Amino acid sequence: MISDLKYRQHICEIGKKVYEKGFVAANDGNLSIRLGIDEFLITPTGVSKGSLTPEMIVKVDGQGNVLDGELRPTSEMKMHLRVYKERPDIQGIVHVHPPYATAFAIAGMPLDQAIMPESVVYLGTIPVAEYGTPSTNEIPDAISKFVHNHQGVLLENHGALTWGKDLDHAYYLMESLEFTAKINWIAKQLNGDRELSNRHVQKLIEMKTKIGIKGNSPLGVQTSDGIHAMKVTPSPIGELSEHDVNRIAEKVTKNILNELKELLK
């Protein structure tokens, strides 16, 4: 307990952050840290991430057996353990339900557009893992194919999951994921989710490689010379033709005139 106290405290600190950020509500979400080859600290079930204390954190082995702790580990422990098994370099995992990212997960829309240099370099593409029933092997099986080439996934109709070289890294990836989802959503409302050209994206990928960040990146779009970004996704609602606009204007004008006639009778 004494030797791993700092890790337990750190989980509590990150738990408070995700709660205050609004990434979770009530008892949602779970966090974990790798202690050694076959020892992990993980949050308990049924406790708000904003109310965690060090003694609540549960120590488990790679098979999910409780090694230390009075509370039961999160029911989504299998998801964490699968990532650790697939990626021995991963030391921390965050699973939460941030609103914008979760909205994309519900819509089944990956975050794979090259809309900002920062997301291309530091986040990469975030795919959607097929829906699975929480606490079963369905979710671990769904995320398994993405673990090696991405830094996180959206869980279909569920939430988001990120993993990193430590818990701080996993948390900041989650912050970046949610921020990217929010910016993406706002741009779509403006019908302006323009993607960077593949020429610009290639330069960003070269930068990403030099600083040692791995994982798939957005591809960007093919553009003419001098065009830095271009929209390629269809509009949520089809654009109105001039004829459609005129028809609507005529109908509105007619209705207003009819109302005025009634008032003047």
Side-chain angles (χ1 to χ4, degrees), residues 61-262:
D61 64 18
Q63 290 69 50
N65 300 309
V66 175
L67 303 177
D68 180 59
E70 298 295 325
L71 301 177
R72 288 187 296 115
T74 172
S75 60
E76 297 186 278
M77 175 175 56
K78 294 176 182 177
M79 178 172 64
H80 291 248
L81 294 179
R82 178 65 66 87
V83 175
Y84 288 126
K85 181 179 180 181
E86 296 276 351
R87 291 280 302 275
D89 58 312
I90 294 303
Q91 303 295 318
I93 296 173
V94 172
H95 166 53
V96 286
H97 304 158
Y100 287 92
T102 302
F104 273 81
I106 291 171
M109 299 170 61
L111 295 171
D112 58 1
Q113 291 181 266
I115 58 172
M116 294 189 300
E118 291 81 2
S119 61
V120 172
V121 174
Y122 296 107
L123 187 64
T125 58
I126 301 296
V128 178
E130 184 180 358
Y131 178 78
T133 303
S135 81
T136 71
N137 282 318
E138 293 174 5
I139 294 181
D141 291 344
I143 66 174
S144 181
K145 61 183 177 182
F146 299 117
V147 170
H148 292 279
N149 297 314
H150 299 84
Q151 300 193 89
V153 294
L154 298 177
L155 303 171
E156 187 178 11
N157 287 81
H158 188 167
L161 180 74
T162 52
W163 45 84
K165 61 185 179 181
D166 52 38
L167 189 58
D168 281 326
H169 183 210
Y171 168 72
Y172 288 125
L173 284 171
M174 186 61 73
E175 271 198 355
S176 180
L177 191 159
E178 173 66 353
F179 186 70
T180 298
K182 183 176 182 179
I183 294 298
N184 199 320
W185 184 85
I186 293 172
K188 288 180 184 294
Q189 306 317 299
L190 298 172
N191 195 25
D193 52 324
R194 300 184 306 138
E195 294 192 55
L196 293 168
S197 72
N198 49 23
R199 298 187 303 278
H200 289 309
V201 170
Q202 185 54 46
K203 292 179 182 178
L204 293 171
I205 291 175
E206 291 171 3
M207 182 188 305
K208 176 178 179 176
T209 301
K210 286 181 180 178
I211 59 181
I213 299 177
K214 299 179 181 179
N216 291 4
S217 297
L219 300 176
V221 297
Q222 185 71 41
T223 65
S224 303
D225 289 342
I227 304 299
H228 302 297
M230 185 173 69
K231 180 176 172 62
V232 294
T233 56
S235 302
I237 300 175
E239 294 183 5
L240 297 175
S241 66
E242 184 177 352
H243 175 68
D244 292 330
V245 172
N246 288 335
R247 285 183 60 192
I248 292 171
E250 289 173 5
K251 188 171 182 179
V252 171
T253 302
K254 183 178 179 180
N255 289 340
I256 291 173
L257 290 174
N258 289 336
E259 290 290 336
L260 287 173
K261 288 178 182 179
E262 291 295 323

Side-chain angles (χ1 to χ4, degrees), residues 27-53:
N27 301 331
D28 293 349
N30 29 82
L31 314 167
S32 67
I33 285 178
R34 184 199 296 271
L35 286 178
I37 296 176
D38 198 42
E39 286 190 349
F40 309 89
L41 291 176
I42 196 163
T43 50
T45 188
V47 177
S48 168
K49 303 299 118 22
S51 302
L52 290 170
T53 57

